[in-house]
């Protein structure tokens, strides 16, 4: 890759959302805006080779993209006069804004609107905010390219037809809408972190995009505590990402991971964010999860982790986010504080509750607790149950290995 | 920026209600009363009701499917279509902010953009 190609690639990664967001103000239609932005990047490759890379690539791209968009719009306005257009907050022919961060925020709120399905929100965010090509999005979510293309088209059609606004929501709705944006970013990271199926456990590209988005959201909403919490949470995950599997790609438990290889700078940055978020007000679910992850990351060993504090934090998390998955994690912490017997009672109660039916982490947790209580016959049955519900190859290999241990040489 | 008529979009708000045996006679009086003032409240929010329709109970419906006539609504659901109104709003968020205040006894609403048909235009 030569210098110009690298400059264009960098600008694609760093400026895509801002250029698109500024262009949507001209077109008020996402498809036309995308077309104009793509054309601007093609022109950049050609022109920059001849004239050199401009001082402010983003401004150059925005100007070219908006000019292209204006031409497209003028040509089309006569063709289809009554197409529904995006609702924009200001006059569309205003001067090109010099990278107003609000524009990207508007774009994110549009992509993560609750009127769109969660799958569509994630796909749109990758396509429109990150500029990831449709075939790459399809690969990341293990669906056919045509399926992903149709999903994106349907979502964009709904945005236009139902007039999902291109705007920052009013204050009354802001917390819920910010939560939707953060949820999408978190889902993106999780998809990259633990692929739902197939052999590739870590998809660094998706994780990287999610980290960039988390940083972007935090810069755009500097007073939002949960935006801080999410960025901290992702940083801790990222700091430990390389140690989640061994050289053969097998999954390693937290207690078996090589802590000396964790990225201390990322953990310190995450901790700084957690402290700032906790000081700023009552913590939400992302901040609490980040606080828990940060405690784990700063502990010298699994045994020397501050389990009582982690148990307390899980208790708080269960208050703000009453999810059975949180209750399951709380049970694991309880097992470290009060022993496996107390934890097993909680896990059994969760099993009776039924909401986690088929969730293989429930059976795996049960199996681990039973094994610690020397009830290996029951533990083996629970590992088999977990295996039946798990389709991630790395996790399956891990569960098979655990099953071999509790059944001795009988398998 | 004040919204001009040109920037308003028409939505239909479909009202679904849990159909009790004596519906709609046993609708709570406060819901009926809230309906009386709802149009004015919408106008205060910068929206406009173009048309509104209330429906008899779903067991008064008759369905025709493939030429075959059967009693009852086309789709049997616990919460049946009870009425609808056509709402003009700036965008989906504006429409949802209004629609979520629709007086309902035991049910909810669905908001959909209108296709083509523009009701209530002068002339």
């Amino acid at each position: 890759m030569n210098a110009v190609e690298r400059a264009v690639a960098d600008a694609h990664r760093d400026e895509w959302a801002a250029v698109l967001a500024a262009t949507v103000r001209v077109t008020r239609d996402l498809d036309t805006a995308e077309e104009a932005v793509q054309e601007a990047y093609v022109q950049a490759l050609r022109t920059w080779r001849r004239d050199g890379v401009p001082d402010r690539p983003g401004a150059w791209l925005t100007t070219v993209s908006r000019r292209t968009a204006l031409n497209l719009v003028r040509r089309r306005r006569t063709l289809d006069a009554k197409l529904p257009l995006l609702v924009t907050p200001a006059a569309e022919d205003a001067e090109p804004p010099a990278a107003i961060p609000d524009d990207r925020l508007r774009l994110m709120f549009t992509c993560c609107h609750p009127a769109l399905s969660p799958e569509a929100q994630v796909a749109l965010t990758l396509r429109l905010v990150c500029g990831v090509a449709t075939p790459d999005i399809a690969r990341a979510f293990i669906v056919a390219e045509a399926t992903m293309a149709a999903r994106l088209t349907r979502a964009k059609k709904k945005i236009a037809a139902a007039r999902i606004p291109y705007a920052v929501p009013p204050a009354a709705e802001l917390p819920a809408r910010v939560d939707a944006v953060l949820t999408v970013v978190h889902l993106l990271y999780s998809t990259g972190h633990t692929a739902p199926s197939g052999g590739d456990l870590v998809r660094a590209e998706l994780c990287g995009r999610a980290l960039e988005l988390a940083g972007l959201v935090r810069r755009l909403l500097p007073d939002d505590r949960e935006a801080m919490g999410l960025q901290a949470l992702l940083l801790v995950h990222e700091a430990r990402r390389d140690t989640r599997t061994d050289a053969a790609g097998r999954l390693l438990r937290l207690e078996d991971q090589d802590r000396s290889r964790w990225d201390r700078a990322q953990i310190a940055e995450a901790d700084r964010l957690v402290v700032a978020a906790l000081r700023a007000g009552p913590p939400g679910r992302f901040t609490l999860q980040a606080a828990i992850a940060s405690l784990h990351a700063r502990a010298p060993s699994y045994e020397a982790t501050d389990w009582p504090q982690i148990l307390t934090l899980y208790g708080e998390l269960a208050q703000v986010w009453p999810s059975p998955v949180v209750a399951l994690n709380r049970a694991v912490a309880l097992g470290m504080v009060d022993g496996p017997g107390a934890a097993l009672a909680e896990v059994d109660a969760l099993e009776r509750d039924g909401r986690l039916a088929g969730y293989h982490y429930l059976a795996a947790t049960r199996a681990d607790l039973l094994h610690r209580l020397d009830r290996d016959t029951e533990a083996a049955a629970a590992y088999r149950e977990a295996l039946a519900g798990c389709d991630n190859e790395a996790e399956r290999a891990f569960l098979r290995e655990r099953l071999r241990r509790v059944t001795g040489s009988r398998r | 920026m004040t919204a001009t008529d040109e920037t308003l979009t028409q939505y239909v708000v479909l009202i679904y209600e849990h159909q009790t045996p004596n519906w709609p006679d046993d609708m709570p009086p406060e819901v009926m009363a809230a309906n009386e003032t709802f149009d004015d409240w919408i106008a205060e929010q910068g929206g406009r009701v173009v048309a509104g329709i209330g429906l008899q109970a779903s067991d008064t419906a008759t369905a025709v499917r493939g030429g075959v006539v059967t009693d009852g609504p086309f789709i049997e659901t616990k919460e049946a279509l009870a009425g609808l109104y056509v709402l003009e709003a700036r965008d989906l968020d504006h429409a949802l902010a209004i629609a979520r205040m629709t007086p309902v006894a035991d049910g909810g609403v669905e908001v959909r953009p209108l296709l083509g048909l523009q009701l209530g235009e002068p002339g």
Side-chain angles (χ1 to χ4, degrees):
Chain A
M1 204 188 270
N2 64 34
V4 168
E5 282 166 357
R6 197 173 310 117
V8 172
D10 285 350
H12 195 275
R13 195 190 55 239
D14 300 338
E15 309 283 357
W16 173 280
V19 177
L20 179 67
T23 307
V24 169
R25 282 168 164 273
V26 176
T27 62
R28 299 171 68 200
D29 155 57
L30 286 168
D31 274 331
T32 313
E34 267 189 273
E35 202 180 316
V37 176
Q38 252 151 9
E39 175 58 26
Y41 277 93
V42 171
Q43 280 192 38
L45 203 55
R46 215 166 35 223
T47 312
W48 296 0
R49 231 174 238 151
R50 194 186 59 217
D51 304 340
V53 178
D55 290 340
R56 291 166 57 217
W60 189 97
L61 285 159
T62 302
T63 305
V64 171
S65 174
R66 285 170 64 101
R67 195 192 303 137
T68 310
L70 267 180
N71 288 334
L72 286 170
V73 168
R74 286 202 187 106
R75 208 178 311 148
R76 279 171 196 175
R77 206 162 264 167
T78 46
L79 293 175
D80 38 29
K82 284 218 105 176
L83 261 185
L85 295 173
L86 270 188
V87 185
T88 57
E92 60 267 35
D93 285 328
E95 277 304 292
I100 296 174
D102 260 13
D103 270 352
R104 281 177 300 179
L105 200 55
R106 285 193 189 100
L107 194 58
M108 292 196 77
F109 279 119
T110 303
C111 292
C112 304
H113 197 283
L116 300 164
S117 72
E119 297 80 25
Q121 292 177 32
V122 171
L124 273 179
T125 301
L126 276 177
R127 179 73 204 102
L128 298 179
V129 183
C130 303
V132 178
T134 305
D136 294 336
I137 304 174
R139 259 196 302 282
F141 289 92
I142 322 173
V143 300
E145 197 179 318
T147 308
M148 185 53 76
R151 188 180 293 172
L152 284 164
T153 304
R154 263 199 314 276
K156 283 190 276 189
K157 205 173 146 197
K158 176 157 187 184
I159 291 174
R163 272 211 161 185
I164 291 179
Y166 176 59
V168 174
E173 287 161 38
L174 200 57
R177 295 290 305 280
V178 170
D179 186 68
V181 169
L182 298 179
T183 301
V184 163
V185 177
H186 188 245
L187 187 59
L188 264 179
Y189 190 89
S190 309
T191 306
H193 201 242
T194 317
S197 63
D200 189 8
L201 184 70
V202 174
R203 290 176 215 176
E205 168 76 12
L206 268 192
C207 290
R209 294 290 187 177
L211 274 168
E212 282 167 24
L213 280 176
L216 177 65
V217 174
R218 192 176 70 78
R219 283 196 302 282
L220 295 177
L221 297 166
D223 297 330
D224 193 282
R225 302 194 298 275
E226 280 291 87
M228 265 187 247
L230 177 68
Q231 195 187 16
L233 180 62
L234 299 193
L235 278 169
V236 179
H237 285 328
E238 192 65 11
R240 306 194 309 218
R241 191 156 62 91
D242 289 345
T243 65
R244 290 184 75 235
T245 49
D246 65 11
R250 276 186 307 240
L251 198 71
L252 290 175
R253 292 182 301 178
L254 186 58
E255 55 194 285
D256 301 327
Q257 293 173 11
D258 178 359
R259 289 174 185 241
S260 70
R261 287 173 55 214
W262 290 354
D263 187 324
R264 291 292 143 195
Q266 282 178 324
I267 290 169
E269 169 69 3
D271 192 51
R272 197 186 60 73
L273 286 166
V274 168
V275 170
L278 287 172
R279 279 204 185 125
R285 64 188 168 109
F286 289 118
T287 301
L288 285 167
Q289 288 178 86
I292 291 165
S294 175
L295 269 181
H296 278 302
R298 287 180 303 126
S301 71
Y302 191 73
E303 292 71 25
T305 303
D306 188 350
W307 288 105
Q309 178 69 11
I310 285 182
L311 184 60
T312 305
L313 286 168
Y314 269 122
E316 281 189 52
L317 184 57
Q319 294 289 315
V320 300
W321 189 28
S323 135
V325 175
V326 173
L328 180 62
N329 282 306
R330 192 188 161 275
V332 173
L334 185 69
M336 295 306 289
V337 177
D338 290 347
L344 189 62
E346 299 265 310
V347 171
D348 285 343
L350 271 170
E351 192 146 33
R352 282 192 299 275
D353 167 272
R355 275 181 298 166
L356 287 180
Y359 186 69
H360 69 271
Y361 292 113
L362 177 72
T365 305
R366 237 182 128 251
D368 184 56
L369 293 169
L370 286 164
H371 171 61
R372 281 165 61 196
L373 290 165
D374 291 324
R375 289 157 63 177
D376 277 350
T377 312
E378 292 161 87
Y383 276 127
R384 287 193 190 96
E385 190 190 328
L387 266 168
C390 172
D391 59 1
N392 178 297
E393 206 29 64
E395 290 181 4
R396 286 183 62 83
F398 168 79
L399 289 169
R400 275 194 298 269
E401 172 62 27
R402 299 293 303 165
L403 179 60
R404 251 192 303 278
R405 291 233 185 128
V406 298
T407 52
S409 56
R410 278 175 287 143
R411 262 180 70 102
Chain B
M1 292 264 320
T2 52
T4 62
D5 272 354
E6 195 220 357
T7 67
L8 290 180
T9 299
Q10 293 187 331
Y11 299 88
V12 59
V13 181
L14 302 161
I15 304 165
Y16 290 87
E17 284 279 19
H18 180 79
Q19 304 260 305
T20 49
N22 290 318
W23 194 89
D25 292 342
D26 52 8
M27 283 273 274
E30 61 270 21
V31 175
M32 304 303 279
N35 262 309
E36 302 281 311
T37 56
F38 191 49
D39 283 18
D40 292 339
W41 179 83
I42 290 175
E44 285 167 26
Q45 310 304 311
R48 187 167 81 94
V49 174
V50 179
I53 292 167
L55 300 176
Q56 299 276 4
S58 64
D59 57 11
T60 65
T62 309
V64 184
R65 193 192 302 254
V68 180
V69 175
T70 51
D71 74 304
F74 196 81
I75 299 167
E76 288 279 3
T77 46
K78 202 166 69 135
E79 283 140 338
L81 189 62
L84 58 89
Y85 59 97
V86 176
L87 169 69
E88 274 183 356
R90 287 189 298 274
D91 55 44
L92 184 63
D93 283 355
H94 188 212
L96 291 174
I98 290 171
R100 75 191 314 155
M101 301 306 286
T102 307
V104 288
D106 181 12
V109 298
E110 176 181 320
V111 179
R112 273 209 220 178
L114 280 189
L115 174 68
L117 176 70
Q118 300 284 300
L119 286 171
E121 279 179 358

